[in-house]
Amino acid sequence: MLLKTTSLSFAYPGQPSLSFPDFSLSGGEAVLLLGKSGSGKTTFLNLLAGLLSPNHGEVILDGTVLSSLQGHRLDLFRGQHIGIIFQKAHLIAALTVKQNLELAQFLSKKNGSSPLALLQDLGIADKASAAVGTLSEGEAQRVSIARALINTPKLILADEPTSSLDDEHAQRVITLLKSEAAKIGAALVIVTHDQRVKSEVSQVLELKSE
Amino acid sequence: MNLLTLSWKYLSFRPLATGLNVILLAFGLAIITVLLLVQYQFEEKMTRDAAGIDLVVGAKGSPLQLILSSVYHIDFPTGNIKMEEAQRISRSRLVKQVIPLAMGDNVQGLRILGTNHDYLDLYSVKFAAGKPWEQPFEVTLGAESAQILGLKLGDTFSGSHGISVGSHDHDQHAFKVTGILAPSGKVVDRLVLTSIESVWYTHDEESGAEPDTTTQVEEERIAVEEDAPEEGIDPQLLPVSARGFPVTDQDREVTTLLIRYRNPMAAIQLPRMINSGTSMQAASPAFEMSRLFELLGVGISLLQGLAIALVVIAGLSIFIALYNSLKERKYDLAILRTLGASRGQLVGLVFLEGISLTILGAIFGIAFGHGFLALIVELTSQELVSLVDPWVFLTEEGLIFGYALTVGIVASLIPAWSAYQTSIAKQLTKT
């Protein structure tokens, strides 16, 4: 198993504790994370990414217990092994498309894949030296996928990646995510309530709010 | 891609704010640079030119004027003194050395200074060509003078009366260049040196040739000449004296005397003796120059205050710019963290931005400072100002980088702390 969680729970200060079901995922597999608003989907994703640290339980990625890592080692581990895609692209506006990818490589100290080849795969190679501000939303989202993939992560987390895209782009983004994750053998977790996505991924994990 | 490139990209992404901050800081630092250069060079030149001169004796008048005219050759002399009286002082046991000076002529605004070879030793000059004057009307050019006049060994020229350009020429007897000095950075660079006798003879001829326009003093001088014994050879053909006072049996004048004391006692006794006991005045270069700097001090402090205010405002402005841009960039910071950046790297990024801004400010500030000074020197004809070389770089200018760095670090402290505190999860879940 590439990704495994055991008896995870987390509580925001002054709020009741949220418990999450145990689950595991192999490389190349994809899972949809579903649930109503407030059921803790984003919290769960943050725990998986090591952005939040659980009150109980563990997240184990490829044999490493995330909560055992501290400070910069956790940051570096995240940069090297976890790719995160947000609802909006959130690229660094001061940099060009290619520089955004190079930045991800620099911060994770991993210089594996070539930014240009990846952009080629995602069909946006012609935008490599474009300023981020000139991209359409669909293009920007594809760049953010490229940024998440550039370090060939073991785990890809996507938080509502398609919610701000039209049908055509949503379809394209979800197909890309699946095929690229499969190509590099990464586990893919998608948080969504987008019907267009639900039909694409068979494995589902449903969070229930108590 | 690295942190420095990233910080630079962020800075150049906001060219107006960045430019404003850099210029603001640069202006403050430019003023400091100018003050530093002017103060340092004046003080250094002033001290160097006055080295070895304990006391200046000349005609009564303003003591500061006496110093400026005789040591630095910038103001007009206070008048002449009788050589007989001057020689009496030189015989005092308090005096170690006396160098007489005779002034009154110029060539293209460069002063012709009659003196003896002791003056050359005083500034320990080196000859680029030729040797010191030995006959009347032989001159030695300072390095800059030679360049301005475009003269070389063996060339001749005539001086004109007065110490600034525009008076009538002494064209009776031409000066002949027999020596050219190597550049020394001292006052001799801008002088034309000759013997006291040469200065005397030029004026003798003038008064002889133009009797109609002679003044009363000159008439007296003619009278003296007529009384002079006719026997012997023309003194103009004799070699001039290289040391001490010129030998003459006539009633002659010199302009001022540069005196070196024999012992510390002289500093107390000699000035008082001259000022009260003779019709001449004595002034100490050290004392008069410190008085002058005291007078200028008010203006300098005022400018310093202005410069400090500008630097502080620039610091504040950089702080506000960093703080605001960081508020807009909280999301960026969170993204950087998810990409693997540590808190330390974010702090580093903020400091790099602040410090790059101020280092740029320092570079521009120093460049502006030198440029501005060059402009002033170029535009002004004031001789005092032309003493300043705008392209001298001082080690003290390193201090300016120090100031700039301090401003950058102080201005970055709070923004850096807020970057350190940013919680990624909270920032990313905010919509």
Side-chain angles (χ1 to χ4, degrees):
Chain A
M1 282 295 128
L2 186 63
L3 175 70
K4 204 171 159 208
T5 71
T6 51
S7 54
L8 272 184
S9 76
F10 180 83
Y12 287 104
Q15 286 177 17
S17 173
L18 294 164
S19 300
F20 301 97
D22 291 356
F23 99 116
S24 52
L25 203 61
S26 308
E29 278 186 325
V31 66
L32 272 188
L33 203 54
L34 302 178
K36 279 178 263 168
S37 291
S39 59
K41 296 186 303 265
T42 302
T43 307
F44 190 54
L45 210 61
N46 283 338
L47 287 171
L48 291 182
L51 296 173
L52 287 176
S53 160
N55 296 37
H56 293 288
E58 290 173 337
V59 177
I60 303 160
L61 177 60
D62 201 19
T64 306
V65 180
L66 286 192
S67 49
S68 72
L69 298 172
Q70 294 291 321
H72 186 39
R73 287 181 55 206
L74 178 60
D75 291 326
L76 205 56
F77 184 84
R78 187 190 305 121
Q80 288 175 342
H81 304 299
I82 305 175
I84 309 175
I85 296 146
F86 304 95
Q87 193 170 342
K88 287 197 173 147
H90 290 304
L91 303 170
I92 307 295
L95 303 178
T96 66
V97 168
K98 184 160 165 273
Q99 286 167 338
N100 263 281
L101 301 189
E102 287 167 349
L103 179 66
Q105 288 185 318
F106 161 71
L107 291 175
S108 65
K109 305 194 170 88
K110 236 178 154 180
N111 289 315
S113 40
S114 140
L116 277 179
L118 188 56
L119 290 173
Q120 195 91 51
D121 277 1
L122 297 178
I124 38 176
D126 53 327
K127 298 283 179 188
S129 43
V132 164
T134 63
L135 300 177
S136 74
E137 204 142 2
E139 287 167 338
Q141 192 60 299
R142 270 186 281 164
V143 174
S144 84
I145 292 173
R147 184 173 63 183
L149 293 170
I150 188 80
N151 294 322
T152 51
K154 299 190 176 100
L155 172 64
I156 299 170
L157 302 172
D159 189 0
E160 307 272 11
T162 54
S163 64
S164 60
L165 301 178
D166 60 31
D167 286 353
E168 193 195 327
H169 279 102
Q171 185 61 46
R172 202 158 168 190
V173 160
I174 203 73
T175 315
L176 269 174
L177 263 178
K178 271 172 61 188
S179 65
E180 291 294 324
K183 203 192 290 177
I184 59 176
L188 174 63
V189 179
I190 304 173
V191 170
T192 194
H193 48 249
D194 191 338
Q195 286 304 326
R196 299 171 296 191
V197 180
K198 284 177 187 165
S199 56
E200 293 283 333
V201 182
S202 50
Q203 207 174 334
V204 167
L205 178 70
E206 182 120 26
L207 294 182
K208 293 184 182 71
S209 46
E210 288 111 68
Chain B
M1 183 60 54
N2 54 44
L3 280 190
L4 191 64
T5 331
L6 184 61
S7 69
W8 178 245
K9 292 284 176 192
Y10 270 127
L11 285 178
S12 53
F13 192 59
R14 297 170 278 129
L16 288 183
T18 303
L20 177 71
N21 285 326
V22 168
I23 287 173
L24 207 56
L25 185 64
F27 274 132
L29 295 176
I31 296 180
I32 296 181
T33 308
V34 169
L35 286 179
L36 210 61
L37 281 173
V38 169
Q39 212 172 356
Y40 177 83
Q41 290 198 31
F42 265 149
E43 264 173 44
E44 206 219 27
K45 272 215 159 114
M46 292 289 167
T47 327
R48 214 161 28 155
D49 287 345
I53 305 171
D54 293 324
L55 197 68
V56 179
V57 175
K60 285 227 191 282
S62 149
L64 181 60
Q65 192 186 347
L66 180 65
I67 299 296
L68 289 177
S69 63
S70 303
V71 180
Y72 305 111
H73 302 277
I74 31 189
D75 207 345
F76 293 91
T78 47
N80 285 345
I81 54 175
K82 296 232 171 296
M83 196 168 85
E84 196 188 317
E85 250 184 311
Q87 276 171 314
R88 207 174 304 137
I89 291 175
S90 73
R91 284 191 289 268
S92 161
R93 60 184 167 78
L94 297 169
V95 172
K96 187 177 179 197
Q97 186 191 35
V98 169
I99 304 174
L101 303 180
M103 295 176 237
D105 287 336
N106 80 89
V107 43
Q108 290 178 33
L110 299 165
R111 294 179 183 210
I112 298 175
L113 179 68
T115 182
N116 59 28
H117 293 183
D118 290 337
Y119 191 80
L120 298 176
D121 297 340
L122 178 66
Y123 290 111
S124 39
V125 298
K126 288 191 177 62
F127 276 81
K131 53 182 177 30
W133 59 91
E134 277 160 7
Q135 300 291 330
F137 299 106
E138 289 186 345
V139 301
T140 295
L141 300 178
E144 226 174 294
S145 307
Q147 208 185 350
I148 293 170
L149 298 173
L151 295 173
K152 37 187 207 304
L153 286 188
D155 287 350
T156 56
F157 64 93
S158 53
S160 41
H161 192 64
I163 55 172
S164 51
V165 220
S167 312
H168 65 271
D169 288 355
H170 295 300
D171 33 21
Q172 258 67 36
H173 210 306
F175 289 107
K176 185 174 174 223
V177 182
T178 59
I180 292 171
L181 299 180
S184 64
K186 295 175 191 165
V187 68
V188 281
D189 282 0
R190 292 181 60 86
L191 290 176
V192 173
L193 300 166
T194 183
S195 58
I196 292 177
E197 287 91 330
S198 310
V199 177
W200 285 346
Y201 300 153
T202 6
H203 290 97
D204 290 348
E205 279 165 4
E206 178 187 289
S207 42
E210 300 166 58
D212 294 340
T213 59
T214 48
T215 61
Q216 200 188 337
V217 182
E218 281 166 339
E219 271 166 29
E220 280 170 23
R221 200 182 288 160
I222 295 164
V224 170
E225 271 172 39
E226 280 162 0
D227 290 347
E230 297 277 290
E231 98 277 3
I233 346 148
D234 183 358
Q236 294 196 14
L237 299 174
L238 290 172
V240 296
S241 41
R243 307 281 164 190
F245 286 89
V247 188
T248 176
D249 40 18
Q250 297 168 6
D251 197 7
R252 290 289 193 178
E253 286 181 330
V254 293
T255 311
T256 49
L257 306 175
L258 307 179
I259 289 180
R260 190 186 295 184
Y261 297 142
R262 180 171 299 281
N263 53 38
M265 268 307 275
I268 306 162
Q269 294 182 355
L270 199 62
R272 204 189 312 157
M273 207 178 84
I274 294 169
N275 285 329
S276 58
T278 68
S279 62
M280 301 176 291
Q281 72 161 336
S284 143
F287 178 77
E288 292 305 326
M289 287 330 284
S290 70
R291 211 166 59 98
L292 176 66
F293 283 127
E294 230 168 80
L295 289 173
L296 295 176
V298 186
I300 290 178
S301 328
L302 211 69
L303 275 175
Q304 269 168 345
L306 182 69
I308 290 171
L310 270 174
V311 171
V312 169
I313 291 172
L316 267 176
S317 161
I318 288 173
F319 161 70
I320 292 168
L322 284 179
Y323 197 76
N324 278 341
S325 81
L326 220 60
K327 266 200 295 195
E328 293 161 15
R329 264 162 42 192
K330 284 245 161 159
Y331 219 113
D332 278 19
L333 291 180
I335 297 280
L336 293 180
R337 288 290 301 281
T338 66
L339 292 176
S342 65
R343 286 170 188 272
Q345 279 175 310
L346 297 194
V347 169
L349 182 67
V350 175
F351 272 115
L352 268 179
E353 270 184 62
I355 290 170
S356 324
L357 267 181
T358 50
I359 292 283
L360 267 183
I363 293 171
F364 279 113
I366 289 176
F368 284 170
H370 284 274
F372 183 62
L373 204 58
L375 198 69
I376 297 178
V377 172
E378 190 65 38
L379 291 183
T380 184
S381 53
Q382 238 276 318
E383 279 181 88
L384 195 64
V385 175
S386 68
L387 287 180
V388 179
D389 178 356
W391 303 115
V392 163
F393 287 86
L394 307 173
T395 44
E396 279 88 342
E397 286 174 48
L399 272 182
I400 288 178
F401 277 97
Y403 292 143
L405 267 177
T406 315
V407 169
I409 290 171
V410 170
S412 311
L413 278 178
I414 294 175
W417 176 245
S418 105
Y420 187 83
Q421 291 287 310
T422 307
S423 153
I424 334 170
K426 216 191 279 176
Q427 199 59 48
L428 290 175
T429 44
K430 232 193 269 175
T431 39

